Amino acid sequence: MKKQIFQINTTNNNSFDPIADGYYNSTPEIPQQYLNLLQKIVHITSEDSVIDLGCGSGDLAIAFAKQSSFVEALDASGKMIEMAKEKDKERNVRWIHQPVENFTFEPEKYTLIFSYESFHLFPNHKELIEKCAKALKPGGFLGIGWVMYSFDFHLKEA
């Protein structure tokens, strides 16, 4: 059996475009328990501004839009943004096709800035954290999240 090696090139802003279909169809839904925990910690209301950095297929941004009336979702992959837009039946998310390193954060705008399963792909983490800190409202949250999928446990054993 021939092994295939896949590497994400973080300097190429469209590096997820070629694998978008496979990624979109193979990632499981975000667990409701995870979403409940975020809501319990942050207490997002309809008045809060939220941004999902590296939104990918858009599941988290769409979940946030059920609580907040102002949600933005940012991703460098145009294909992923288009797929996420199709999933957003309510049209409650502002989808932004742009690399996070080029995004201009407004000062003290967001109650929550969240990156789910993508923060490790962004260049210059220190600079990004500094930008996010300035973009958060007083008392706001910066969250970096991930989940262990069932297939991760099998990979650990290999």
Side-chain angles (χ1 to χ4, degrees):
M1 173 184 265
K2 184 178 178 183
K3 291 185 178 185
Q4 293 184 356
I5 298 173
F6 176 74
Q7 181 178 358
I8 297 294
N9 177 357
T10 58
T11 60
N12 176 354
N13 293 329
N14 293 316
S15 62
F16 268 90
D17 284 357
I19 63 158
D21 291 323
Y23 179 88
Y24 184 86
N25 292 320
S26 66
T27 53
E29 288 184 29
I30 298 171
Q32 188 59 48
Q33 294 160 312
Y34 190 89
L35 298 171
N36 293 345
L37 178 62
L38 284 174
Q39 179 59 11
K40 184 177 180 180
I41 293 169
V42 182
H43 306 289
I44 300 168
T45 69
S46 63
E47 306 298 314
D48 292 323
S49 296
V50 177
I51 188 165
D52 181 4
L53 304 178
C55 66
S57 57
D59 294 332
L60 188 60
I62 292 168
F64 285 145
K66 292 177 182 172
Q67 299 160 339
S68 169
S69 59
F70 186 82
V71 176
E72 294 177 320
L74 179 73
D75 203 283
S77 169
K79 179 116 181 188
M80 294 297 279
I81 288 288
E82 289 306 312
M83 295 172 90
K85 281 181 181 179
E86 288 177 22
K87 195 186 284 188
D88 183 16
K89 303 296 182 204
E90 303 294 321
R91 304 288 182 240
N92 290 332
V93 178
R94 179 176 170 239
W95 301 101
I96 304 166
H97 173 210
Q98 185 174 33
V100 70
E101 62 271 20
N102 296 343
F103 185 71
T104 302
F105 291 89
E106 292 180 38
E108 296 188 9
K109 178 177 181 177
Y110 301 101
T111 302
L112 175 63
I113 299 173
F114 206 86
S115 176
Y116 181 75
E117 296 274 332
S118 57
F119 192 83
H120 60 287
L121 298 172
F122 302 142
N124 201 339
H125 296 126
K126 183 177 186 271
E127 182 181 310
L128 178 57
I129 290 170
E130 289 170 355
K131 285 181 177 182
C132 289
K134 291 175 185 172
L136 286 171
K137 292 179 180 179
F141 294 86
L142 170 61
I144 300 169
W146 64 93
V147 70
M148 289 287 290
Y149 297 112
S150 59
F151 56 79
D152 287 332
F153 297 106
H154 299 292
L155 291 173
K156 287 169 81 174
E157 297 169 5

